Amino acid sequence: MSILGLKKKQPKTFKVKVITMDAEMEFSCEVKWKGKDLFDLVCRTVGLRETWFFGLRYTVKDTYAWLKPEKRVLDQEVPKDSPITFHFLAKFFPEKVEEELVQEITQHLFFLQVKKQILDEEIFCSPEASVLLASYAVQAKYGDYDPNFHKPGFLAQDELLPKRVLMQYQMTADMWEEKITAWYAEHRGIARDEAEMEYLKIAQDLEMYGVSYFAITQNKRDTDLLLGVDAQGLHIYSPNSKLNPNKSFPWSGIRNISYSEKEFTIKPLDKKKDVFKFYSSQLRVNKLILQLCIGNHDLFMRRRKVDSIEVQQMKAQAKEEKARKKMERQILAREKQMREEAERAKEEMERRLFQLQDEARLANEALLRSEETADLLAEKAQIAEEEAKLLAHKAAEAEQDRQRLEVTAMKTKEEKRLMEQKMREAEQLAVKLVEQSERRLKEADHLKQDLTEAKDAERRAKQKLLEITKTTYPLIAAYSTPAPPAPPEAADFAYESASTRLDFKDSDMKRLSMEIERERLEYMEKSKHLQDQLKELKTEIESLKLEEQQQQAGLYSLRNERNSAYMSQMAFFEEV
């Protein structure tokens, strides 16, 4: 039978999922593996050497249990799921975290677990301590506070405070963030591992830190109590209070712990003290209590002994590592400071460069503006010179116009004076004519009166003559010697002479009356003509006055134009 034909059987395996505080891992385990094999594999994978604080926890019905290292995994009451789920957690807590936790990974796992217990309210924490712890958690996550980077609202997605604390005060998320940020800004320069250690140093002083609670009853009276197991010893609490124990049994004062089925017995080291007994309802819980008591007591005794070679090596390595990291942080801080200084110097140089560039640009712009201004001023000077020449020319023309207008005004005044003199003379002449007319009228009236009287006297004389003639003619004919008859021609001549005398007087009167009437008419025509001349003289005088006013207005506007032109020219030269 050939040995080559035989095939070696592959061992059967099962799947395991291990959940740590910051990762999930899956392993393929052999069925013969014990709990220690799986635990060591997880520790090697995580890089953890302080293994005595941790364990693999799993859920059994309504409670939990820790994987026992000496028994096979599948022989324990682990879930039958595939993969089997375990939680890699701290099983025992140190008394002084700063002295006992050596590795940085150990500190980090403790930090994550304690923070989760505080946020899940498994560990009671006051609001003030919660805010301070949250500030260290933010420092561990985000590093140094930078107001340019960490804007308001950057913590909106982070769970930092227990819900009980958030509900206790009527404060908004922004107000809580402001409080946390105020503390966070004070932690500048603290590294991540240092911030996590500061967090644990504050948390270890909380009453519920590292305590595992179990429901128990007291002997014979079935009084409900709580048993607390931690690194210091055993504590008995009231059901409603997990902060202040009613009775405590430190590990240094316990001589023996034993149990029989459901009964636990705590024997003090001092034999004079009474033995304390209590009962637990489940056998599985009793085994868990005993397991935690043994582990915590072993660690209590171990802390009070000299460290093993392994622990000493670990502490020495951790010290060297811390020194190296501190030096690296110092170098990094110095380099960061130098880089910041260099960046500030660079920014200052850039700012100075930009400033010089701006100054150069402004100077160039000022130079261009100066050149433009010079050109503009030269152009303005040329324009001003031309305007000055033009104004001088206009001033000369205006002076000539003024002189011409003055001459015209003088002529107008002379003409006006002559016209006024003529008008006065015409008025005097009119007055004289009126006086002469009145005198002539008076004379005409006197002449008419004299004529009338002469006519009346003539008529009376004629009447008397006729009467005398009629009376005397017959007497002469009767008593007088008849004269020789006159020749007919002589009689006729005498009669005609008398008639002619009479007719002559009438014609003189008529002629005189006609002459008077004619002189009166001539006087009226001369008077009318003189009045028309007076009206024309007045019209000419009014027109001369109007022209003089217009000439004076023209002289005034011309003077204003000259003054305004001179003022604008002076303002332009002042501006230049």
Side-chain angles (χ1 to χ4, degrees):
M1 187 174 179
S2 175
I3 298 177
L4 296 175
L6 295 177
K7 290 184 179 181
K8 185 177 180 181
K9 287 186 177 182
Q10 295 293 333
K12 292 183 179 181
T13 59
F14 61 93
K15 299 293 184 181
V16 171
K17 181 171 72 173
V18 178
I19 301 174
T20 66
M21 294 305 302
D22 58 354
E24 291 185 6
M25 300 173 288
E26 289 191 2
F27 301 100
S28 179
C29 304
E30 297 181 7
V31 293
K32 64 178 181 180
W33 277 14
K34 295 182 179 180
K36 187 177 182 304
D37 298 326
L38 178 58
F39 181 76
D40 292 340
L41 177 60
V42 174
C43 290
R44 286 196 304 272
T45 304
V46 174
L48 181 70
R49 295 179 63 185
E50 297 175 271
T51 58
W52 48 87
F53 292 111
F54 296 88
L56 293 172
R57 195 178 76 176
Y58 59 92
T59 303
V60 181
K61 295 182 180 179
D62 56 347
T63 185
Y64 65 88
W66 296 93
L67 187 66
K68 296 176 181 179
E70 67 277 2
K71 291 182 64 176
R72 291 201 310 176
V73 176
L74 296 179
D75 291 344
Q76 302 183 47
E77 295 181 327
V78 297
K80 303 304 179 183
D81 302 331
S82 181
I84 303 173
T85 302
F86 295 96
H87 290 270
F88 186 79
L89 298 171
K91 184 177 181 181
F92 307 105
F93 288 79
E95 293 181 22
K96 296 180 180 180
V97 292
E98 191 174 12
E99 296 178 2
E100 297 182 46
L101 300 182
V102 179
Q103 283 188 294
E104 185 176 341
I105 181 62
T106 311
Q107 298 175 12
H108 183 63
L109 292 175
F110 265 98
F111 163 74
L112 294 176
Q113 184 170 337
V114 172
K115 186 179 77 168
K116 186 176 185 304
Q117 288 177 334
I118 291 175
L119 295 177
D120 293 343
E121 300 182 16
E122 295 178 7
I123 298 176
F124 176 80
C125 185
S126 64
E128 295 79 7
S130 299
V131 173
L132 181 58
L133 291 173
S135 68
Y136 279 111
V138 174
Q139 178 70 22
K141 181 176 181 180
Y142 293 101
D144 291 340
Y145 173 69
D146 186 357
N148 297 322
F149 179 75
H150 301 108
K151 301 292 184 181
F154 76 104
L155 298 178
Q157 303 301 323
D158 293 326
E159 185 181 3
L160 298 171
L161 297 172
K163 293 181 180 179
R164 174 184 53 79
V165 174
L166 296 174
M167 298 297 292
Q168 187 174 352
Y169 297 94
Q170 298 296 326
M171 294 176 62
T172 62
D174 294 336
M175 296 170 69
W176 283 116
E177 180 178 312
E178 184 178 356
K179 279 185 168 294
I180 294 172
T181 305
W183 281 103
Y184 168 42
E186 299 293 328
H187 303 330
R188 184 175 182 83
I190 299 178
R192 191 196 75 168
D193 57 336
E194 293 176 348
E196 292 177 352
M197 179 55 68
E198 292 296 327
Y199 188 101
L200 292 175
K201 285 165 64 176
I202 297 172
Q204 73 178 357
D205 294 331
L206 301 176
E207 287 81 358
M208 296 178 66
Y209 166 81
V211 181
S212 300
Y213 294 93
F214 302 95
I216 60 173
T217 57
Q218 198 170 1
N219 186 22
K220 296 181 180 180
R221 288 183 287 182
D222 294 332
T223 303
D224 292 334
L225 297 172
L226 287 177
L227 173 67
V229 183
D230 64 3
Q232 302 290 335
L234 299 176
H235 311 281
I236 308 299
Y237 301 87
S238 298
N240 299 325
S241 176
K242 293 183 178 181
L243 300 178
N244 299 316
N246 298 332
K247 184 180 294 188
S248 295
F249 300 94
W251 297 120
S252 59
I254 297 176
R255 179 161 54 96
N256 186 22
I257 299 175
S258 61
Y259 84 96
S260 175
E261 294 182 356
K262 297 181 180 181
E263 183 183 43
F264 266 86
T265 303
I266 301 176
K267 295 180 180 180
L269 189 61
D270 188 358
K271 295 182 179 180
K272 295 181 180 180
K273 292 183 179 181
D274 296 335
V275 176
F276 184 80
K277 293 184 179 181
F278 61 90
Y279 291 87
S280 178
S281 60
Q282 299 180 11
L283 181 61
R284 186 182 301 107
V285 175
N286 293 339
K287 292 180 180 180
L288 178 59
I289 292 172
L290 183 61
Q291 187 179 4
L292 291 176
C293 288
I294 294 171
N296 278 297
H297 185 267
D298 290 342
L299 287 177
F300 177 80
M301 299 302 296
R302 181 176 178 174
R303 293 185 193 104
R304 282 146 183 84
K305 294 179 181 179
V306 179
D307 294 332
S308 62
I309 301 298
E310 181 184 3
V311 174
Q312 291 179 8
Q313 290 177 351
M314 288 172 55
K315 286 185 177 181
Q317 293 175 358
K319 187 176 180 180
E320 293 176 358
E321 185 70 17
K322 286 182 179 180
R324 184 183 61 80
K325 287 186 176 181
K326 185 177 180 181
M327 185 176 295
E328 289 178 354
R329 283 197 296 268
Q330 290 176 353
I331 295 173
L332 182 62
R334 187 165 59 253
E335 291 178 352
K336 183 178 180 182
Q337 183 179 0
M338 293 174 63
R339 185 170 63 251
E340 290 177 353
E341 291 177 355
E343 290 178 355
R344 284 196 296 270
K346 180 182 177 183
E347 292 176 356
E348 180 65 22
M349 293 294 291
E350 290 177 351
R351 186 186 64 80
R352 182 60 181 165
L353 178 61
F354 291 152
Q355 184 178 359
L356 292 174
Q357 289 177 351
D358 291 338
E359 291 177 356
R361 180 177 56 79
L362 294 175
N364 190 19
E365 292 177 356
L367 179 60
L368 293 176
R369 285 197 300 270
S370 299
E371 293 176 354
E372 293 175 356
T373 305
D375 295 339
L376 183 61
L377 289 176
E379 185 178 356
K380 285 185 177 180
Q382 184 179 0
I383 294 172
E385 185 178 358
E386 293 177 357
E387 288 181 352
K389 291 180 180 179
L390 182 60
L391 289 173
H393 181 67
K394 287 184 177 179
E397 292 180 352
E399 183 65 22
Q400 293 177 0
D401 292 339
R402 186 188 64 78
Q403 292 177 0
R404 187 171 58 254
L405 288 173
E406 286 180 355
V407 172
T408 305
M410 292 175 65
K411 290 181 179 180
T412 304
K413 287 181 180 179
E414 184 66 23
E415 290 176 356
K416 179 181 177 183
R417 187 182 61 79
L418 293 175
M419 292 298 292
E420 288 179 351
Q421 185 178 359
K422 288 180 180 180
M423 185 178 68
R424 286 194 299 270
E425 292 176 354
E427 288 178 352
Q428 292 176 0
L429 181 61
V431 171
K432 289 180 180 180
L433 290 174
V434 169
E435 290 178 353
Q436 291 179 2
S437 177
E438 290 178 353
R439 189 171 59 252
R440 291 290 181 90
L441 286 174
K442 288 180 181 180
E443 291 178 356
D445 290 338
H446 287 303
L447 290 173
K448 285 181 180 180
Q449 188 176 358
D450 293 341
L451 181 62
T452 303
E453 291 177 355
K455 285 182 178 181
D456 290 342
E458 183 183 2
R459 189 174 56 255
R460 285 193 304 268
K462 285 181 178 181
Q463 187 68 27
K464 286 181 180 183
L465 181 61
L466 288 175
E467 288 178 357
I468 293 171
T469 302
K470 288 179 179 181
T471 305
T472 60
Y473 183 75
L475 292 177
I476 295 170
Y479 297 99
S480 67
T481 305
E489 291 89 358
D492 294 335
F493 177 75
Y495 180 77
E496 288 177 1
S497 297
S499 301
T500 302
R501 287 193 298 267
L502 291 172
D503 293 336
F504 175 78
K505 293 180 180 178
D506 289 338
S507 63
D508 289 337
M509 292 298 293
K510 289 181 181 180
R511 187 174 62 253
L512 181 60
S513 177
M514 289 176 66
E515 287 178 359
I516 293 170
E517 185 68 21
R518 186 174 65 255
E519 288 180 358
R520 188 179 67 82
L521 291 175
E522 288 178 355
Y523 172 76
M524 291 299 291
E525 288 179 359
K526 288 181 180 180
S527 177
K528 183 178 179 182
H529 180 67
L530 184 60
Q531 288 178 357
D532 291 339
Q533 287 182 349
L534 287 172
K535 288 182 180 180
E536 289 178 359
L537 285 172
K538 289 182 179 179
T539 305
E540 289 179 0
I541 290 170
E542 292 295 330
S543 63
L544 287 173
K545 288 182 178 180
L546 182 60
E547 287 179 1
E548 183 180 4
Q549 291 177 358
Q550 290 178 354
Q551 288 174 358
Q552 289 178 354
L555 284 172
Y556 181 74
S557 62
L558 180 60
R559 190 178 296 110
N560 288 336
E561 288 179 358
R562 289 176 61 194
N563 291 334
S564 61
Y566 176 74
M567 293 301 292
S568 62
Q569 183 178 3
M570 292 300 294
F572 173 78
F573 281 113
E574 289 178 359
E575 181 181 359
V576 174

